[in-house]
Amino acid sequence: MPAELFMTKPLLWAQNASRYKATMLGMIPFAMKHFVDVERKSQGCLDVDLSGIKGILVGGELVANSVCNDFTQCLSKYGLNNNALMPAYGLAECVTIASLAEVGDEVKHYRLKYTDIQIGKTPEFCTDAQEGMDVVAIGKPLNGITINIKDDNGVLLPEGKIGNVNVQGDIVAAGYYEGRESDENIFLEDGSVETGDIGFIMNDALVIIGRQ
């Protein structure tokens, strides 16, 4: 569906998914929020059946739990499974997807205190009533991919520590087309790529909290 068409008529997304009995789809958080805003103004007038959808990949930007909740609650009345969302993480340097949540899994979310978001620190979680950052786990690495968390000196950090996200695997590109000398700071000799993202590993799943 062309982006321009979605922005003007986002409800067509659900209508087409129902019409063609789609089972796997993809959305970015911005599009999910836009859809919900327009659907609410329409007062739930859609005549669609989304019960056949097995999974919706969610990625392309930072994924917030509040957006995921609003989207599933909005579409549940049309038959969408509450566990249909599959948060994912990827980048062009590794052919799009590096980690992905399992089909049917509940979206795992965390709320972090802003004061503890520093490289090398253990994130401190807080309640929904406290001021903090709302993030979700975006799945485990795909087969053949290793996701490492490193400090600013390139030292590997253990699970549960905030650091720089590094992706390694056979699908990682060797460099950019007509690359520059600065590429060596992004594509490392060990075949990995420095993503520029900051996050941590929790229960073997990646959590992204921002950019450098």
Side-chain angles (χ1 to χ4, degrees), residues 99-186:
S99 70
L100 178 66
E102 294 285 342
V103 175
D105 278 0
E106 181 181 358
V107 174
K108 297 177 177 63
H109 63 95
Y110 306 95
R111 191 167 182 81
L112 282 62
K113 289 185 177 180
Y114 287 117
T115 54
D116 290 302
I117 300 177
Q118 299 182 42
I119 300 297
K121 280 202 168 187
T122 300
E124 185 173 348
F125 305 114
C126 58
T127 66
D128 292 341
Q130 296 174 295
E131 184 177 1
M133 174 181 290
D134 179 30
V135 295
V136 305
I138 47 181
K140 299 178 181 179
L142 301 184
N143 290 338
I145 294 178
T146 300
I147 297 180
N148 294 313
I149 306 297
K150 299 182 177 182
D151 67 13
D152 290 333
N153 296 316
V155 177
L156 190 66
L157 295 173
E159 178 168 319
K161 294 292 185 180
I162 297 172
N164 303 299
V165 179
N166 172 280
V167 177
Q168 187 173 24
D170 292 339
I171 65 172
V172 173
Y176 296 122
Y177 176 67
E178 296 183 347
R180 307 172 300 276
E181 291 184 3
S182 59
D183 287 3
E184 64 186 23
N185 297 321
I186 301 174

Side-chain angles (χ1 to χ4, degrees), residues 60-75:
E61 57 191 44
L62 195 63
V63 182
N65 186 54
S66 57
V67 174
C68 293
N69 282 340
D70 286 348
F71 189 75
T72 52
Q73 289 174 9
C74 172
L75 294 182

Side-chain angles (χ1 to χ4, degrees), residues 1-10 13 27 31-32 34-35:
M1 186 174 180
E4 296 82 359
L5 179 59
F6 179 85
M7 289 305 298
T8 55
K9 298 181 178 180
W13 177 86
M27 291 282 273
M32 294 163 64
H34 179 55
F35 180 95

